[in-house]
Amino acid sequence: MTGSVLDLIAFICFVVSWIGYTYFAKWKAKNTNCIARCLHQHRIHWMNELMRHEMRVGEAALLANLERNITFFASTSMLILAGVLTLFAQVGRLESVIASIPYTSVPTDAMIQLKLSLLTFIFVMAFFQFTWSMRQYGFLNVMLGATPLREYESSDHMKNYATQMAIVQDQAAHAYNYGLRGYYFSMAVLSWFFHPLLFIITSLLVVYTLYRREFKSKAVLAITQGMIMLQREEQEQKEMGNRH
């Protein structure tokens, strides 16, 4: 099999792995306990609870901490982009370095530029996702500031308002997650500089790693159990309220 055909197959495998896992994760989250599904329930509970707090400094600090993490990755994406764009001027030197590594495929200027272009595209998209996540957290801060205080049970309107705030936070978290996935799959692209077969293996390995962490990790089990405990607590409080 010629190198160009193998490179094409590896690239198709990479695209199918990334897009396929994205749609698979969305579909599976609808009927399976995972990080996205369980955290959504936690966020609804959080937004309902903050309505009881007259001073919401703690909530503001938590949201600021989340935004700080996203800002770090957005800034890092720009630095990585600067480094990748600089490599376009050093293609010849990069080609000689790769050729000196044993068992690597024979590099060409065109293929190196194509791989650098793919890395550039990934980090540009990651930057857009991180900045969109930051904006949505800003929207959530506005909604948080507009939230009225409630002392006891809230009306259906306020429960729905809390759910809408949780949805905005969910969307911000999803954008952050998509940006992080770009970082994961960029590690697979790095292996393409050495051999297309290694590119295929690392693409599949990234998918396996993401699946394990989002659906089968110990963190998911703990978050799921926490969600169950919160639901049971809410149910007991409702039963006690009905008795009184």
Side-chain angles (χ1 to χ4, degrees):
M1 184 179 295
T2 61
S4 58
V5 175
L6 189 58
D7 282 319
L8 179 60
I9 293 174
F11 176 73
I12 293 174
C13 178
F14 169 78
V15 174
V16 170
S17 297
W18 193 343
I19 297 177
Y21 179 77
T22 300
Y23 282 99
F24 167 79
K26 286 182 179 180
W27 169 78
K28 194 166 181 64
K30 293 179 180 178
N31 50 28
T32 305
N33 287 329
C34 62
I35 289 179
R37 180 185 178 92
C38 295
L39 284 182
H40 176 64
Q41 299 301 320
H42 281 277
R43 291 181 182 115
I44 293 176
H45 182 78
W46 180 15
M47 295 300 109
N48 275 291
E49 286 299 311
L50 69 82
M51 291 183 180
R52 296 192 178 99
H53 304 161
E54 184 175 359
M55 300 297 294
R56 293 162 184 164
V57 178
E59 285 78 9
L62 289 172
L63 291 175
N65 184 57
L66 292 173
E67 289 184 78
R68 192 178 305 114
N69 293 333
I70 302 168
T71 303
F72 168 78
F73 279 103
S75 302
T76 303
S77 298
M78 294 301 295
L79 295 175
I80 295 174
L81 275 172
V84 172
L85 293 175
T86 302
L87 288 176
F88 275 98
Q90 303 292 333
V91 172
R93 183 177 299 179
L94 183 59
E95 181 180 349
S96 61
V97 171
I98 295 173
S100 65
I101 301 175
Y103 307 110
T104 57
S105 60
V106 179
T108 62
D109 288 354
M111 285 303 300
I112 290 177
Q113 290 175 354
L114 176 63
K115 296 166 186 177
L116 290 175
S117 298
L118 179 57
L119 280 177
T120 302
F121 174 77
I122 289 174
F123 285 108
V124 167
M125 294 305 298
F127 174 77
F128 285 148
Q129 293 291 348
F130 289 135
T131 51
W132 177 230
S133 179
M134 289 167 55
R135 289 196 65 189
Q136 290 182 99
Y137 273 114
F139 303 155
L140 178 61
N141 283 324
V142 174
M143 297 180 73
L144 175 62
T147 305
L149 175 66
R150 68 177 174 90
E151 298 180 359
Y152 305 104
E153 281 299 315
S154 61
S155 64
D156 291 338
H157 296 295
M158 294 314 302
K159 289 180 179 178
N160 185 51
Y161 186 77
T163 301
Q164 297 306 312
M165 285 198 294
I167 290 174
V168 174
Q169 190 176 10
D170 263 349
Q171 294 303 307
H174 287 324
Y176 177 51
N177 192 32
Y178 293 150
L180 284 181
R181 282 182 190 169
Y183 272 66
Y184 275 89
F185 280 101
S186 69
M187 298 298 103
V189 176
L190 287 179
S191 66
W192 194 15
F193 285 90
F194 303 103
H195 202 282
L197 286 178
L198 184 60
F199 187 27
I200 295 174
I201 294 172
T202 51
S203 297
L204 298 176
L205 183 60
V206 167
V207 171
Y208 174 77
T209 302
L210 289 172
Y211 174 77
R212 290 288 304 175
R213 292 185 177 181
E214 294 186 18
F215 293 94
K216 299 293 184 180
S217 64
K218 292 182 179 179
V220 172
L221 296 177
I223 293 170
T224 301
Q225 290 300 314
M227 179 190 68
I228 294 173
M229 294 300 104
L230 286 176
Q231 290 175 343
R232 288 178 179 175
E233 179 66 20
E234 289 179 354
Q235 185 64 31
E236 290 178 0
Q237 289 180 357
K238 288 181 180 178
E239 291 177 355
M240 290 178 61
N242 293 332
R243 290 172 187 172
H244 294 296

